[in-house]
Amino acid sequence: MDCLFCAIAAKKITADIVYEDDKVVAFNDIDPKAPTHILVIPRKHIATINDMETDDKELLGHMAYTAKSIAAEKGFAEDGFRLAMNCNGHGGQTVFHIHLHMLGERQLSWPPG
Ligand code: AMP
Ligand code: ZN
């Protein structure tokens, strides 16, 4: 399968990985929108959040848990941060392997564009 994030998880394409385990990989976004902009992906290929299955519920929770753990470790958890997942065209998704954006270390506005 020709998927950029599967290739990053398999280390066929280099990324700046900040955390990995048997279920997820987290790496710095190549085009950061905040001083910290990390993507947390599952090793399992799931194209969009619409493709999430019942058995994936725990995996999505693990992605969120990974993000909050990284925020705590980096020391900005209490200041706050944003987690976001974009889905399909209206959501602005450009890479079709689900990923949790974590943006931190600056004041973010709401709503996003
Ligand atoms: P989205 O628009 O939600 O699909 O987000 C895709 C994200 O992947 C964007 O923030 C891109 O900057 C990021 N991205 C694309 N290619 C790479 C890459 N090779 N390494 C790290 N991040 C990437
Ligand atoms: Zn993939």
Side-chain angles (χ1 to χ4, degrees):
M1 192 190 306
D2 189 18
C3 171
L4 174 62
F5 286 177
C6 281
I8 285 175
K11 299 193 175 157
K12 290 176 183 158
I13 291 176
T14 305
D16 189 7
I17 292 173
V18 298
Y19 174 82
E20 63 181 317
D21 62 25
D22 59 328
K23 293 185 179 62
V24 302
V25 180
F27 51 93
N28 286 315
D29 195 292
I30 204 167
D31 182 19
K33 300 295 189 282
T36 293
H37 186 173
I38 289 169
L39 303 177
V40 182
I41 67 167
R43 290 190 184 277
K44 177 184 177 184
H45 181 84
I46 302 170
T48 81
I49 201 71
N50 288 336
D51 300 299
M52 182 184 171
E53 297 171 338
T54 305
D55 285 352
D56 298 323
K57 287 180 182 178
E58 195 171 330
L59 180 58
L60 272 284
H62 188 63
M63 290 165 66
Y65 191 88
T66 296
K68 80 97 182 176
S69 300
I70 293 170
E73 188 181 308
K74 287 184 172 287
F76 60 84
E78 295 308 318
D79 284 343
F81 56 91
R82 181 166 299 159
L83 301 182
M85 293 182 78
N86 300 326
C87 182
N88 278 340
H90 279 186
Q93 185 175 6
T94 60
V95 177
F96 289 86
H97 176 134
I98 61 167
H99 45 281
L100 186 62
H101 293 260
M102 178 169 64
L103 297 115
E105 299 193 282
R106 75 167 169 85
Q107 182 63 55
L108 298 164
S109 60
W110 189 263

